[in-house]
Amino acid sequence: MGQSFAEATGFAEHPWVMVRHRAAHVHMVAFRVGDSSEVWHGRNDRRAAQSACTRLELEHGLEQAPRRRVEPKLSVIAEREQARAQELALVSHRALCKRLSASRRKSF
């Protein structure tokens, strides 16, 4: 499996090691510079790694790891507005909890 992953992501000709971490998953580390002094640049390596993982999971009947969300990325302005809305909701929730707590204390 490790060799298949290394080939799919482009660093098969470079020194690499794969270590099983408990029963759940593995970690791989690869050197960017190969034995022949060739440098692996790893451009778009996240996409290649995700594709390789998906293919290996399906081929070997493994449990699929969670993937990043697939919605389009928000603009910076939209992200800030969303964060402000979440912050306001949290502040409102905290205020409501304080009121409920205070009213419970009064009723006892």
Side-chain angles (χ1 to χ4, degrees), residues 36-51:
S36 63
S37 299
E38 182 183 337
V39 177
W40 173 64
H41 294 286
R43 291 178 181 91
N44 294 317
D45 61 334
R46 183 183 64 78
R47 289 183 183 152
Q50 289 261 292
S51 296

Side-chain angles (χ1 to χ4, degrees), residues 1-94:
M1 244 191 294
Q3 185 65 33
S4 295
F5 183 83
E7 289 169 1
T9 52
F11 63 84
E13 300 301 318
H14 296 259
W16 59 271
V17 64
M18 181 170 80
V19 179
R20 188 168 143 182
H21 184 72
R22 300 190 200 129
H25 63 278
V26 297
H27 292 270
M28 287 188 81
V29 177
F31 288 88
R32 289 188 63 218
V33 179
D35 294 333
S36 63
S37 299
E38 182 183 337
V39 177
W40 173 64
H41 294 286
R43 291 178 181 91
N44 294 317
D45 61 334
R46 183 183 64 78
R47 289 183 183 152
Q50 289 261 292
S51 296
C53 283
T54 300
R55 184 179 50 79
L56 289 168
E57 288 164 344
L58 294 172
E59 282 178 10
H60 296 279
L62 302 171
E63 180 180 339
Q64 287 199 308
R67 301 292 188 251
R68 289 184 175 207
R69 58 190 161 157
V70 293
E71 305 101 40
K73 199 170 182 183
L74 296 175
S75 69
V76 172
I77 294 170
E79 283 183 1
R80 286 179 184 157
E81 289 173 1
Q82 188 179 47
R84 283 188 194 114
Q86 288 173 345
E87 186 178 309
L88 289 174
L90 181 61
V91 169
S92 298
H93 176 75
R94 286 182 180 157

